[in-house]
Amino acid sequence: MKQNQEYKNEALAALKGNWAPAVLATLVYYLLTLFLISPYEVAVFRTNSADIMGLMAASRWYGVFFLGMILVIGPFLVGYVNSFKKLLVEGDDRITANSFREGFKPYWRSVWAYLFRGILIALWSLLLVIPGIIKSLSYAMTMYIVKDHPELTVNEAIDLSKDMMYGHKYDLFYLYISFIGWYLLSILTLGIGTFWLMPYIQTAQASFYEDVKAEWELKSVD
């Protein structure tokens, strides 16, 4: 496996000259999320905490938000993650277009991958926070695998992610925490920096996936 700085260097090399489309795709992701959550937030804000009926009415908007997250944000996120892999591997800078193209075709496969992976992580998180974190790392490659291996079911893709990540969960966790300084800087910029940080992380993670996939394929041949 490579060192964290190598993943980061590969990410920066891929993003060089492509920051504008990367930031635009990230902005679209945030705007979609904001659009879906706004009705719920507005309904709660306008409701008096003592108004039980009002709160129940507002809770209906949560169902809309939750459904929207599954049906819209889920497939977009699958495409968003894979668009940075295409940028890294193929030099394809159509990041926003690829976020829709890769995530919404095939549509229901992306929805199920997002939903099933989320359910599994949530169930493990009910035990304790640590098992939830471990499983989220174990399932981290699922969104790449569902695109790279269309012949696999979503459940098989999750199992393959577990196989690929065996012995490498800490490596990925260490890669994530290596960005902590950038996270803090993003907070200081009132969150504006996240529009650059997210593409950086996603491209570095794509590099990590290519590395762990190559190692798994080598072991499979042996």
Side-chain angles (χ1 to χ4, degrees):
M1 294 292 290
K2 299 174 184 176
Q3 299 296 314
N4 282 345
Q5 194 56 51
E6 293 179 85
Y7 300 130
K8 290 181 173 182
N9 289 343
E10 290 180 2
L12 291 173
L15 287 164
K16 185 177 181 180
N18 294 308
W19 282 105
V23 170
L24 176 60
T26 306
L27 178 61
V28 170
Y29 170 66
Y30 279 108
L31 287 176
L32 282 173
T33 304
L34 182 63
F35 175 77
L36 290 168
I37 197 175
S38 290
Y40 171 68
E41 295 290 343
V42 170
V44 171
F45 179 76
R46 290 181 175 179
T47 304
N48 189 299
S49 59
D51 183 3
I52 303 300
M53 295 301 295
L55 289 174
M56 290 179 64
S59 68
R60 296 171 189 166
W61 283 109
Y62 181 78
V64 175
F65 164 63
F66 183 74
L67 189 62
M69 288 295 293
I70 296 172
L71 299 180
V72 179
I73 300 302
F76 185 85
L77 188 58
V78 172
Y80 180 78
V81 166
N82 279 279
S83 68
F84 287 103
K85 181 169 74 72
K86 289 180 74 70
L87 174 67
L88 177 77
V89 177
E90 304 172 18
D92 190 338
D93 63 353
R94 297 170 297 175
I95 302 172
T96 302
N98 286 333
S99 294
F100 286 102
R101 186 180 298 112
E102 294 293 311
F104 287 77
K105 186 180 179 180
Y107 175 73
W108 289 110
R109 179 174 172 82
S110 294
V111 169
W112 181 235
Y114 174 80
L115 178 60
F116 190 40
R117 176 177 174 269
I119 289 172
L120 290 176
I121 293 172
L123 289 175
W124 279 101
S125 299
L126 290 176
L127 299 176
L128 280 173
V129 174
I130 299 300
I133 293 175
I134 292 173
K135 288 301 177 180
S136 68
L137 294 169
S138 184
Y139 304 148
M141 303 297 107
T142 302
M143 293 185 180
Y144 300 111
I145 296 170
V146 293
K147 299 301 298 182
D148 281 355
H149 296 276
E151 76 281 3
L152 299 179
T153 66
V154 169
N155 191 47
E156 289 171 338
I158 290 175
D159 287 339
L160 181 52
S161 178
K162 288 161 58 179
D163 290 342
M164 284 187 181
M165 290 301 292
Y166 182 78
H168 296 302
K169 289 185 284 293
Y170 176 75
D171 296 329
L172 182 58
F173 179 72
Y174 184 52
L175 176 62
Y176 288 157
I177 63 173
S178 70
F179 288 98
I180 192 167
W182 291 105
Y183 278 116
L184 295 175
L185 183 60
S186 295
I187 293 173
L188 293 176
T189 61
L190 302 178
I192 296 174
T194 58
F195 292 108
W196 283 263
L197 177 59
M198 286 299 292
Y200 188 14
I201 294 174
Q202 290 300 331
T203 314
Q205 181 179 263
S207 178
F208 181 93
Y209 167 70
E210 290 297 316
D211 196 18
V212 78
K213 179 180 70 172
E215 181 180 286
W216 178 83
E217 289 174 346
L218 186 62
K219 289 180 179 178
S220 297
V221 172
D222 295 340

